């Protein structure tokens, strides 16, 4: 290892490095170079500005631009990526003939620049490799999820006390955000891909639950401002409104995902019935979710129940419907696998995913449930435990 | 224009489109294609998933993936970018022979995909063009900055009431964040470039002000978690501590930047003296800041004063020193120009920039000031107005 890496991470990082190296050997590639925040955190336990260079047959090198003061073997400070080839020569590191770069995360100009620096005969996609490997969580990562889940649950227990009659969805959200921070939320909420703007999660109430958003989250909402059109929009929380709370579980770098529904006064019967159908979907999907289960089948079970219950037009939205019912979680909220009809993936042990069957009821809001599940050897374990019925708020 | 664009934005967007088209003509390029969130907001007044195609000699086309329901002339729904050439053919839009793409924002794979879709003979960098144009703010944008500044000031007026003796920097920050949201902060805080992770701004107190961060912000701090190593880290706010509050002005999509310093009890004399030097730097720099002033000269004025006053080793950090004293602001916190020794830029009318002379005092914290300035025809106008001396908090 190297000095700047925390003692408690050494075993965990060794597992991760070995998995990457095994894949490099399988692909016949010489090395991978990582620089985006989540991949550096994944492989070193911290975010820095610089590069991790991991060869298939050697120890990793840490090329650091900032912060000052990281110390240890194979830590080399650089000013710019063009400094690396000279260091390779000095240190006797062979230049890679084939190199993985983060092709779905690096900008075009950064990628071209790194290609020019290393001039490998062949490049391949480190983003695809890392997303594939990051699906399978390590024991240390699973403990981090458990800690996020505990804090997530503790925050949700405070939600009823955040409500005051006459509030808007935004006012309610601000109180919940405060509770999140007090319970340890690190604030930052990471998603993979462009156009996934979100702040700390989403609250949807009343008609706003139908509003389509540009983003690839399960539901939409108009948001506070057209520069971030998602989630709460100032909807008054009046009697007969369902409030879906899907606030982030970013209490460690490993994000849990949990949605619960609250009501102001009595909701129309259709809302309670749809909520019950969502709980049935959760039950039926988790009954068969285990290593080997096809993600596409899990989606189909959910969609079939929605259809059988006559709620197809409300399932995962109305005016715009999401075509997935769950997704991997981790350092980003949208990791692999995705529970979608097009998926070719199967569940594997130590995957962690969110399952979120939801229905939009026009004029009322959204109902349903979301939990984070760990895939065990024989089934799934629910990580996020909190009352799942619709929780009435004091009026 | 087109139907989905808000009436109040039509004049503003026409100005922006014409500026882009003028530059395309100057460069001899046929068109530009924009897809990243800030550029879509800049040119259409909203974020959507899709593309704005703006030819040098015609009206823009809006290729939308999501949300459903955007309406108007030249709005065409697509499923994927590969759908565009057929639509070009149907609609009689000539395919571009030369095309600007966002080379510093699109991922490598997205860029390559769009190149394949359009197969232009020549591509150039839309990121560079847009960042250059976005420096010069329109009248509508300047009004948005004024609104952000008002709300930013209103939040800062609440800061003393957020303090309670015995708090940590994080507990203090959570209270301020709540006030930000209540005063209209949209939460999301956008920066340009990789490895610029930040959440709602930064608070630095005590020894934590010296901690180097990986990011390209003015100062550092260790942060709550190694996945986001910046800002407050749980430092107790004990007597003799300076607290630098640099929380985001994200009250509209146009971000103002403002830093103020608070004290618990009496600070060492050196802190008050350094603070006064920062105010002198602000005065001297703004005395000469006007259209035509070189950004490198503005930096040098600041650095020279710091040196003359014997504070060179504290200027913009200690263990790691930032090599700029100001930066353009807008839809992102780090726009052009940058007030740095290497800059070749001059101030121009209607630029908006933050000036942030700061000193780190080991063991005490950081002192100094930051304000947002509009470049007028003859000088600069301060947008963020609030008490600039060190503000004592009740113990």
């Amino acid at each position: 290892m190297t000095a700047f890496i925390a003692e408690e991470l050494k075993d965990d990082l060794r597992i991760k490095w070995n998995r990457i190296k095994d894949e490099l050997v399988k692909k016949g590639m010489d090395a991978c170079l990582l620089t985006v925040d989540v991949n550096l955190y994944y492989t070193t336990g911290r975010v820095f500005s610089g590069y991790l260079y991991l060869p298939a047959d050697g120890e990793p090198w840490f090329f650091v631009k900032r912060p000052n003061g990281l110390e240890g073997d194979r830590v080399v400070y650089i000013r710019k990526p063009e400094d690396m080839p000279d260091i390779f020569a000095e240190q006797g590191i062979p230049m890679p003939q084939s190199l993985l770069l983060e092709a779905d995360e690096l900008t075009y100009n950064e990628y071209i620049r790194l290609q020019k620096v290393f001039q490998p005969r062949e490049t391949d996609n480190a983003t695809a490799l890392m997303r594939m490997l990051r699906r399978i969580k390590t024991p240390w990562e699973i403990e981090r999820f458990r800690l996020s889940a505990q804090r997530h649950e503790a925050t949700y227990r405070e939600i009823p006390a955040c409500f005051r009659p006459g509030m808007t969805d935004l006012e309610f959200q601000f109180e919940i955000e405060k509770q999140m921070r007090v319970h340890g939320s690190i604030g930052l909420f990471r998603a993979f891909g462009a156009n996934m703007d979100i702040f700390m999660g989403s609250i949807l109430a009343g008609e706003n639950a139908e509003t389509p958003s540009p983003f690839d989250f399960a539901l939409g909402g108009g948001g506070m401002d057209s520069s971030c059109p998602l989630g709460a929009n100032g909807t008054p929380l009046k009697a007969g409104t369902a409030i879906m709370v899907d606030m982030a579980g970013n209490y460690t770098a490993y994000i849990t995902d949990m949605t619960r529904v609250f009501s102001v006064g009595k909701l129309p019967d259709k809302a309670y019935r749809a909520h019950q159908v969502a709980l049935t979907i959760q039950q039926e999907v988790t009954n068969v979710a285990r290593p080997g289960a096809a993600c596409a089948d899990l989606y189909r079970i959910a969609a079939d129940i929605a259809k059988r219950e006559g709620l197809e037009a409300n399932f995962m939205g109305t005016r715009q419907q999401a075509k997935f019912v769950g997704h991997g979680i981790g350092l980003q909220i949208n990791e692999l696998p995705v529970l979608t009809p097009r998926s070719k993936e199967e569940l594997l042990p130590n995957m962690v995913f969110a399952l979120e069957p939801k229905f939009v009821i026009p004029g009322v809001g959204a109902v349903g449930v979301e939990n984070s599940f760990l895939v065990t050897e024989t089934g799934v374990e629910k990580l996020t435990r909190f009352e799942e019925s619709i929780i009435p708020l004091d009026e």
Side-chain angles (χ1 to χ4, degrees), chain A:
Chain A
M1 286 270 147
T2 195
F4 80 83
I5 288 176
E7 194 57 40
E8 59 153 6
L9 291 179
K10 292 192 172 174
D11 292 344
D12 182 65
L13 297 182
R14 185 62 68 187
I15 295 171
K16 292 169 175 171
W17 296 351
N18 286 340
R19 285 183 186 172
I20 298 170
K21 289 162 70 164
D22 288 349
E23 290 298 322
L24 292 174
V25 170
K26 258 197 242 173
K27 287 171 174 290
M29 299 291 285
D30 289 342
C32 82
L33 186 77
L34 303 176
T35 184
V36 307
D37 51 11
V38 289
N39 287 334
L40 289 182
Y41 181 81
Y42 185 77
T43 52
T44 73
R46 61 168 296 147
V47 171
F48 60 90
S49 175
Y51 305 88
L52 179 87
Y53 179 78
L54 183 58
D57 64 353
E59 290 289 289
W61 286 79
F62 309 89
F63 294 100
V64 183
K65 289 190 279 186
R66 276 188 305 267
N68 287 346
L70 295 191
E71 287 177 0
D73 293 340
R74 290 167 282 103
V75 175
V76 184
Y77 273 81
I78 59 170
R79 230 172 45 75
K80 51 186 199 301
E82 288 75 12
D83 298 342
M84 286 190 275
D86 283 351
I87 297 163
F88 275 53
E90 282 164 31
Q91 301 283 346
I93 313 167
M95 284 289 276
Q97 298 302 305
S98 52
L99 182 64
L100 271 69
L101 296 170
E102 294 152 316
D104 291 312
E105 290 153 308
L106 290 176
T107 69
Y108 174 76
N109 276 343
E110 288 170 324
Y111 191 99
I112 294 296
R113 185 174 179 180
L114 292 170
Q115 261 187 333
K116 215 169 147 188
V117 166
F118 288 99
Q119 303 188 14
R121 275 203 314 266
E122 188 187 349
T123 56
D124 201 347
N125 190 349
T127 303
L129 173 70
M130 295 303 297
R131 281 176 62 78
M132 189 270 283
L133 289 173
R134 280 170 32 208
R135 293 175 311 165
I136 311 298
K137 272 62 182 181
T138 64
W140 183 81
E141 292 182 297
I142 291 166
E143 287 312 304
R144 300 303 282 176
F145 275 114
R146 289 190 197 283
L147 184 55
S148 277
Q150 279 169 27
R151 294 172 178 171
H152 207 163
E153 292 159 7
T155 299
Y156 273 41
R157 283 194 289 273
E158 302 295 335
I159 290 176
C162 291
F163 179 75
R164 290 186 307 275
M167 270 183 160
T168 65
D169 54 358
L170 283 168
E171 289 165 338
F172 190 43
Q173 179 166 334
F174 301 160
E175 299 293 333
I176 297 171
E177 288 171 4
K178 169 79 186 298
Q179 289 299 321
M180 290 171 68
R181 294 288 270 162
V182 167
H183 286 85
S185 164
I186 60 177
L188 204 69
F189 184 40
R190 292 189 168 103
F192 174 72
N195 286 342
M196 293 288 284
D197 295 335
I198 187 170
F199 179 74
M200 295 276 272
S202 148
I203 290 190
L204 287 178
E207 287 178 8
N208 188 44
E210 282 202 275
T211 305
S213 102
F215 308 118
D216 201 15
F217 298 107
L219 296 179
M224 273 179 85
D225 190 274
S226 58
S227 67
C228 187
L230 184 86
N233 71 338
T235 295
L237 302 181
K238 60 184 202 296
T241 302
I243 310 167
M244 174 167 277
V245 177
D246 185 3
M247 296 301 289
N250 52 358
Y251 298 86
T252 72
Y254 291 86
I255 310 168
T256 45
D257 212 351
M258 170 163 59
T259 301
R260 293 295 185 268
V261 178
F262 299 82
S263 66
V264 186
K266 179 113 181 69
L267 305 181
D269 288 345
K270 183 175 183 179
Y272 294 105
R273 200 176 73 74
H275 189 77
Q276 195 53 52
V277 174
L279 293 174
T280 302
I281 290 173
Q282 176 179 257
Q283 190 61 59
E284 301 275 322
V285 170
T286 55
N287 280 347
V288 299
R290 65 172 59 89
C295 294
D297 288 343
L298 300 180
Y299 176 85
R300 266 188 295 269
I301 290 169
D304 286 351
I305 296 171
K307 191 170 180 180
R308 182 185 80 203
E309 298 292 337
L311 288 167
E312 203 178 3
N314 306 80
F315 185 53
M316 305 307 288
T318 50
R319 290 161 50 194
Q320 182 172 284
Q321 294 181 293
K323 274 284 173 283
F324 64 90
V325 74
H327 52 87
I329 52 179
L331 297 173
Q332 292 168 323
I333 193 63
N334 52 343
E335 299 211 348
L336 297 174
V338 189
L339 278 55
T340 175
R342 297 177 308 281
S343 172
K344 294 187 167 45
E345 288 209 78
E346 292 181 356
L347 294 185
L348 296 168
N350 300 317
M351 282 182 171
V352 177
F353 69 93
L355 176 64
E356 52 177 329
K358 294 175 180 175
F359 295 97
V360 170
I361 312 296
V364 177
V367 296
V369 69
E370 177 173 34
N371 282 301
S372 300
F373 294 92
L374 168 66
V375 183
T376 65
E377 295 298 326
T378 56
V380 295
E381 176 193 337
K382 190 182 286 181
L383 297 174
T384 44
R385 293 165 199 192
F386 187 71
E387 175 60 46
E388 296 186 355
S389 60
I390 295 176
I391 300 166
L393 300 169
D394 293 337
E395 276 179 277

